[in-house]
Structures are given as structure tokens and as C-alpha cells.
Amino acid sequence: LLILEFKMLGRLVGDPIFEVVAERAMDKLWELRDSKTGLIGNVYNTKSRSWDDPMSGIGAGIDSYFEYLLKSFILFGNEKDLSRFSDYYDNIVKYMRRFSVSDSNVSNFDNPFYFANVNMNTGQLQNHWIDSLSAAFVGVQILHGDLKAAIMHHALFYGLWLKYDALPERYNWYLKKCEYALYPLSLNSQKLRTCCFRQLGTHFIYLSGKEFMTVFRRIIKLDVVMLL
């Protein structure tokens, strides 16, 4: 998944081998997607040449793949990367999106949603949790131009942040409770807010970013005191 770094490295040192190898890996992953759902799994075993973990999602273990695919197009202009990302995005929305409120009277644009983890081969629900790394996908949605969806997706993580003063490493959306109470000082949530604010400039995004920094500074101070 080091497609960005390897492409840039190859061009900086004048040796195309880095880009060639990275592109080969990306091509192979594209071939390994399921023919029915168009999704890929989380862990691929290169020895057995099979998926050890067929869970497909947008969080830990797979989040950077989609992000780098789109950013590779933005930086280097390869239409193939954009085409592949667009295909993945359509399938992610089709199989993973779940709305927070099950009410037909509520518009999709007024209903915060999340992307559930599903089985790559069937598109069926795999588990009931989302993780903190999936917050970065909001920034990817903005880069892709799906602004309305990005705003509603951001609302979910902002709600979790207000509830816990941080994003829990895992949140069980079915039981509506924290499943893994760990926050490793990840900046993914602030990264998505920066993308949102630069693109949209709304007061709500500004306030959510300000709230994040207030809590984040408090957490850092607590960590420093504990170390002393």
C-alpha cells in the first residue's frame, strides 16, 4: 500500500523499479477482489494465496488502501486509480452503509450513517463494530466530491467524540456502547475535520474542530502529568 511513497521515491531517485513493484502490488489486489461484490478483505496470506480475514470495511487494516488509491490519482493523474477507487466506493456504499435512524420519513441527507464491516464474498454483515481509523474515510469522501455524505458521516464521529471525549478504538453500533476503550491519540478525526472545513467552511465544522483541540490538549496534559 506504499503506492504514494514508492512512486515519489522512484521519481526522486530516477529509478522506476519502486513504482513498478508498487503498481504490481496494486494490480494484484485489484484482481483479488470478489467478483460478485467487488470488495476486498482485510488480511491476505501470500503463502497460501487466500484471504485469512474476509472482512471488508473502511477501518483498521484497509483504510489506507482506498485513501492511497484516490490520492495516487490526485498526485500522479493515473485514470486507472480513479476508476478503481470509484468502483470500490460504489460497492462500499452499496454493501456497507447503514443509517443510524430506521425511519423512512427521515431523509438520507438528515440521517447520520456508518459503514459496517461485511464479508467480502457475500456483502453480509460481519460484526457490529466500527473503529476510530474509519473516521479518516470522511476526508476521502470529500476528496471524492461526495460532500453531503461526508457531512453526515462526520456527524456520527462528532457525536461519539462528544459522548466519550475521544473516539473509542471500537464502538458497537448495535449495542450503542464502547467496545474497546482505548484512544491512541490518533489524529484521524481532526484530519477529517480539516478536510471538511477547508472544503465547506461551515461554522459547525469549525466548532467541532475547536472542541476536539480542547479535549486533545487536556488529554496530552494528563498524559504528561502521569509520566512525571
Side-chain angles (χ1 to χ4, degrees):
L1 296 183
L2 298 176
I3 185 69
L4 296 183
E5 292 89 340
F6 275 27
K7 275 189 174 182
M8 187 59 70
L9 176 62
R11 297 184 186 195
L12 288 174
V13 302
D15 188 343
I17 187 60
F18 299 102
E19 184 171 342
V20 169
V21 172
E23 286 284 5
R24 190 180 301 163
M26 296 297 278
D27 289 342
K28 186 61 179 178
L29 281 173
W30 176 251
E31 293 174 5
L32 291 171
R33 72 194 191 287
D34 184 77
S35 59
K36 175 187 175 183
T37 65
L39 300 173
I40 60 171
N42 200 279
V43 179
Y44 183 76
N45 190 318
T46 56
K47 291 186 176 180
S48 64
R49 298 189 178 184
S50 62
W51 290 100
D52 281 351
D53 184 358
M55 184 188 81
S56 190
I58 60 167
I62 196 172
D63 58 312
S64 295
Y65 174 62
F66 303 122
E67 178 183 352
Y68 277 29
L69 198 55
L70 181 57
K71 287 183 176 179
S72 179
F73 163 72
I74 294 172
L75 286 175
F76 304 107
N78 191 334
E79 293 287 343
K80 178 178 67 175
D81 293 332
L82 177 61
S83 176
R84 289 178 176 179
F85 173 83
S86 297
D87 188 79
Y88 278 129
Y89 189 75
D90 290 343
N91 291 321
I92 286 171
V93 171
K94 178 180 179 181
Y95 291 103
M96 300 182 195
R97 186 168 64 173
R98 304 288 192 280
F99 289 100
S100 299
V101 179
S102 300
D103 187 343
S104 59
N105 294 319
V106 178
S107 166
N108 287 352
F109 295 122
D110 296 318
N111 194 351
F113 65 86
Y114 50 90
F115 289 110
N117 298 314
V118 301
N119 185 289
M120 63 169 285
N121 301 307
T122 64
Q124 297 299 308
L125 188 66
Q126 184 93 352
N127 50 54
H128 295 102
W129 54 261
I130 55 176
D131 60 35
S132 61
L133 285 177
S134 60
F137 198 72
V138 174
V140 177
Q141 289 178 288
I142 291 173
L143 291 176
H144 188 49
D146 198 357
L147 301 183
K148 289 183 177 180
I151 292 172
M152 298 314 298
H153 197 193
H154 166 264
L156 167 73
F157 293 107
Y158 182 51
L160 290 176
W161 184 271
L162 290 178
K163 183 176 182 179
Y164 295 107
D165 270 354
L167 282 182
E169 186 66 8
R170 284 187 181 178
Y171 176 77
N172 190 308
W173 51 263
Y174 182 74
L175 299 176
K176 292 181 172 55
K177 69 175 186 178
C178 174
E179 190 169 284
Y180 189 19
L182 170 69
Y183 179 63
L185 296 181
S186 170
L187 293 175
N188 274 336
S189 59
Q190 185 61 6
K191 182 166 64 174
L192 73 87
R193 290 189 183 95
T194 301
C195 289
C196 283
F197 186 72
R198 286 181 175 177
Q199 185 68 34
L200 305 172
T202 63
H203 190 58
F204 164 66
I205 302 298
Y206 169 77
L207 290 177
S208 69
K210 185 177 180 180
E211 171 69 19
F212 169 88
M213 291 307 300
T214 300
V215 175
F216 194 72
R217 289 191 182 101
R218 186 171 74 245
I219 293 173
I220 292 175
K221 288 180 181 178
L222 287 173
D223 285 346
V224 171
V225 170
M226 290 177 67
L227 287 172
L228 293 176

